[in-house]
Amino acid sequence: MRKLQRSFALIRTTPTDYLIQKRLEHACQLLRARRSKQGTQLVSTIAYASGFNDVSYSNHQFRRAFGCAPGQF
C-alpha cells in the first residue's frame, strides 16, 4: 500500500484525483465521438459509461477540469 501511495506522490496526485481524471478523459472521447457522428447520446449516458454514478457530480468535475459543461464540449 505504501508503495502505491509513493507512486501517486511522485506524479503529484491522489488515487481519487487520478481516477476522476481518467474518467473525464474517457468522457471526452465519448463526447468527441458523439459530436463527430452527430449522435444523440445523452450526456448522462456518457457520464454513466465513464464510471460516474452521479450526473451532477460528473458535470461538476467536468466544469472544474475543462471550464465548460459536457454538453458544450
Side-chain angles (χ1 to χ4, degrees):
M1 183 68 169
R2 182 68 187 135
K3 187 175 182 179
L4 183 62
Q5 289 173 330
R6 274 188 254 131
S7 297
F8 279 105
L10 287 174
I11 59 172
R12 296 179 186 202
T13 191
T14 64
T16 301
D17 287 342
Y18 179 81
L19 184 58
I20 290 170
Q21 177 187 356
K22 291 301 175 186
R23 288 176 176 169
L24 290 173
E25 288 173 8
H26 186 255
C28 285
Q29 290 175 352
L30 295 176
L31 289 166
R32 283 189 194 106
R34 176 183 97 149
R35 185 176 55 206
S36 68
K37 296 177 188 175
Q38 297 299 321
T40 58
Q41 192 174 21
L42 298 174
V43 172
S44 60
T45 304
I46 290 172
Y48 293 128
S50 299
F52 290 98
N53 293 326
D54 183 347
V55 176
S56 296
Y57 181 71
S58 168
N59 290 343
H60 173 75
Q61 292 298 325
F62 197 93
R63 279 183 190 272
R64 197 181 102 208
F66 301 109
C68 67
Q72 298 169 334
F73 184 74

